Amino acid sequence: MTYAADAKLRPAEGTDHTESSKWRSRGISLAILGLAITTIAFFGNLVSVGQSGADQASTLAWTFGVTTTGFALTKTAIAVVLWGIILKLWLRADSIKHSLPKLVGTPGADSTPLGVIDTPFGKVAVADEAPGPLPIHKMAKKLFRPMVAMGLMTVVIGLIVSFVAAGTAPNISALAWMQGLQFLGEGMLLSGIAFMLGTILWAIRTAGGEVQESLGVKVYTPKMPGLAKGFVALMMLGLMVSIAQFIGYVVVAGSSDPASAFAWLGPFREFGLGLILAGITLSLVAIGKVLAFQFWRVQNLIKNGERS
Amino acid sequence: MTTSTATTSTDFPIDVSKKGLGFNKPQQMGRKLWGPMWVMSIMAFPIALVLGIVRANAIAGGESEATIAALGHTTTGIMFIGFTAVFAAISFAIAGILGEFRKGGGETQELVSSEVRTLKMAPTAKILILGMAMGMMTLLIASIVHLVVAAQVSSGSLSLAGAETAAINLEAVRRLGVAVYLVAITFGLATIIRVLRFQAIRLRELV
């Protein structure tokens, strides 16, 4: 394996491509744990209907904290599985590198000019060398780990605050901090997931370029599609909303009558998460399109090769 | 032999055919439906936000408690129609990715081998479909009940206390629906790891 790509973002030298992924099983276990925790809070919520006054306020406070923590664990599980995908993508690329020269034989002549061409999969750059990462790839690679870690920590701090709110109910200030912190954490976790998807797009692009380069053919790389641009815009906007809602809750924490502010901050914080999720959808669709392009390219190389 | 110790493609549960099998039904559906779901979500989120602001103004302006409660249920109902749609879009997009692997892998094998080996639908993929259906139904029903409660409290056929009780119960149901959806998505992504492993093994068998 001789990828120029970051060593920390690919499997260790000599990793067996037939091995099952430990990240897959860890991710699934963590997701089930998250669901179990959310289910405990679900029953707590139902019990709170039979309560009143401070007792009900207390139950609603801790169930909020526990539920959001369950969500955060499941999102962390998604991040763990995505990490497993990144590692397996490289191992699959290794297999392509191993087999493609024999499947192609001597590559067929390619008269396509260098530059940008149109393909059934959109605009594609044709070059002699594998392209470097785009600015968004560089950012995604650097930021996915800190975002996931900080997001999880922020949610856990919010969980502790929810226990404080439950023990001192009704405590408006603690409730405001709890909601602000936990939704900031959720926003950061989702952004971390979005950055991991950006890293997957980078891995597919880089591996694809290096496979073609190693074969001695022109390197075809899809231009950044509109889907990916929309993904970045929605994710950034959603993260900004998540930060803004946190500031909003901190301001409200000092207020004696927060009912009006709580009425718009609730939908506002959910709006932020919704935007990030909409961005994540676009990145997944972009991954599908890039994969389709790569299969098309590999099949063309095989069809045009001397072995065919 | 279990797939966790698989070293050849035949150690996986596979279909063997002469030609690539292309997209299966859920993958075809995923490719068609992610877009409409995405559009629905991106419309619902801002509408719910605006309704939340209207409700905040109603509270500040001293509107009737029934109006405020109805607006609260309407806001949450529409917001969670948005979440239902966006989670569905994500699930469909994952199905689309799995489809690209299945179609592309089959076509590539067809070019170089007399035998096309295609993974059977993995249990994790079935859990994705089942979890998505359960999460979607849970969230959708909760959202519709929110809108019904809003209409009832607005017309006076439901008391404020009843509306408050409904809000607490529906919140619990919604949260469970979101958790089920997230777990389903985790299983869908886990299926991609399995497909990548299968393809890494199968590719080396072709030479």
Side-chain angles (χ1 to χ4, degrees):
Chain A
M1 216 171 351
T2 54
Y3 295 114
D6 314 36
K8 286 180 183 172
L9 294 174
R10 57 191 173 93
E13 196 75 38
T15 302
D16 182 3
H17 69 280
T18 67
E19 266 182 16
S20 61
S21 168
K22 63 183 176 188
W23 301 106
R24 180 176 181 267
S25 45
R26 285 176 187 177
I28 288 175
S29 304
L30 196 55
I32 291 170
L33 176 65
L35 179 61
I37 288 172
T38 309
T39 307
I40 291 168
F42 167 76
F43 287 113
N45 245 55
L46 296 184
V47 167
S48 76
V49 172
Q51 298 174 320
S52 60
D55 283 345
Q56 189 181 56
S58 172
T59 306
L60 290 177
W62 74 256
T63 54
F64 183 98
V66 170
T67 303
T68 315
T69 306
F71 290 166
L73 282 180
T74 315
K75 285 167 189 162
T76 307
I78 289 174
V80 168
V81 172
L82 288 175
W83 177 241
I85 289 177
I86 292 170
L87 297 181
K88 281 290 178 192
L89 271 170
W90 287 112
L91 294 174
R92 176 174 168 273
D94 272 349
S95 291
I96 299 174
K97 245 183 167 180
H98 170 268
S99 300
L100 199 56
K102 291 162 196 158
L103 296 175
V104 171
T106 306
D110 184 354
S111 59
T112 310
L114 300 182
V116 177
I117 60 164
D118 284 313
T119 72
F121 301 92
K123 293 206 178 297
V124 167
V126 181
D128 284 327
E129 292 179 345
L134 297 171
I136 185 63
H137 293 148
K138 289 180 187 169
M139 190 163 85
K141 286 190 293 173
K142 277 188 188 155
L143 288 182
F144 77 79
R145 284 191 184 97
M147 288 301 262
V148 171
M150 286 192 304
L152 191 57
M153 280 192 296
T154 309
V155 170
V156 171
I157 293 169
L159 173 68
I160 294 166
V161 176
S162 81
F163 292 145
V164 172
T168 56
N171 182 338
I172 298 298
S173 175
L175 281 178
W177 275 98
M178 171 190 81
Q179 293 175 78
L181 277 168
Q182 290 212 303
F183 271 77
L184 175 63
E186 292 284 332
M188 290 166 92
L189 265 172
L190 283 179
S191 300
I193 288 171
F195 282 136
M196 291 192 86
L197 292 166
T199 305
I200 287 176
L201 281 164
W202 160 79
I204 296 173
R205 172 185 163 101
T206 306
E210 292 182 5
V211 164
Q212 294 174 79
E213 203 176 51
S214 70
L215 201 60
V217 296
K218 286 177 183 166
V219 177
Y220 285 49
T221 311
K223 300 289 285 178
M224 189 176 183
L227 284 169
K229 289 174 187 164
F231 151 57
V232 175
L234 285 169
M235 193 270 284
M236 290 298 182
L237 189 59
L239 183 58
M240 281 192 284
V241 171
S242 291
I243 294 168
Q245 67 81 30
F246 172 68
I247 295 167
Y249 273 112
V250 171
V251 171
V252 169
S255 160
S256 58
D257 184 17
S260 173
F262 276 177
W264 69 266
L265 277 170
F268 187 55
R269 73 189 187 209
E270 286 161 352
F271 176 69
L273 297 188
L275 290 179
I276 304 174
L277 287 167
I280 284 173
T281 310
L282 296 186
S283 71
L284 288 165
V285 176
I287 287 171
K289 291 207 180 298
V290 174
L291 285 170
F293 164 78
Q294 288 201 342
F295 277 116
W296 174 80
R297 176 68 177 139
V298 164
Q299 287 161 21
N300 275 348
L301 284 169
I302 293 172
K303 281 180 201 164
N304 297 330
E306 165 258 359
R307 190 176 179 271
S308 293
Chain B
M1 186 185 281
T2 62
T3 55
S4 61
T5 56
T7 53
T8 70
S9 62
T10 50
D11 293 334
F12 291 83
I14 52 169
D15 287 316
V16 179
S17 57
K18 293 276 180 209
K19 290 191 171 285
L21 298 181
F23 301 112
N24 62 24
K25 290 274 180 207
Q27 290 162 356
Q28 286 171 5
M29 196 196 277
R31 284 162 52 80
K32 278 183 191 157
L33 290 183
W34 79 264
M37 287 292 159
W38 185 84
V39 170
M40 198 191 296
S41 73
I42 214 75
M43 284 176 2
F45 293 135
I47 292 172
L49 176 60
V50 169
L51 283 169
I53 294 167
V54 169
R55 180 164 176 263
N57 285 333
I59 292 170
E63 294 277 346
S64 76
E65 287 196 37
T67 303
I68 292 165
L71 274 170
H73 277 281
T74 308
T75 303
T76 311
I78 291 177
M79 184 63 83
F80 275 82
I81 286 174
F83 278 112
T84 309
V86 82
F87 283 132
I90 288 174
S91 306
F92 284 138
I94 292 171
I97 290 175
L98 289 166
E100 297 300 346
F101 278 121
R102 180 180 160 101
K103 179 173 177 281
E107 286 172 352
T108 307
Q109 291 179 70
E110 208 178 299
L111 280 177
V112 296
S113 169
S114 57
E115 189 175 274
V116 175
R117 295 179 185 171
T118 309
L119 266 180
K120 285 183 188 288
M121 189 185 280
T124 47
K126 290 175 183 166
I127 294 173
L128 164 67
I129 295 170
L130 185 68
M132 181 196 163
M134 284 168 59
M136 184 189 276
M137 291 311 293
T138 307
L139 285 182
L140 204 56
I141 289 169
S143 301
I144 291 167
V145 174
H146 267 298
L147 298 178
V148 171
V149 169
Q152 287 178 327
V153 76
S154 193
S155 68
S157 60
L158 183 70
S159 67
L160 286 172
E164 179 59 24
T165 300
I168 294 171
N169 281 328
L170 288 172
E171 185 174 39
V173 172
R174 280 190 339 253
R175 287 171 175 176
L176 197 61
V178 169
V180 169
Y181 238 136
L182 288 171
V183 171
I185 288 167
T186 311
F187 275 86
L189 293 168
T191 311
I192 294 177
I193 295 187
R194 179 184 161 89
V195 172
L196 286 168
R197 180 166 162 243
F198 172 78
Q199 290 204 345
I201 293 172
R202 180 63 181 142
L203 273 159
R204 289 176 189 253
E205 292 173 346
L206 295 173
V207 292

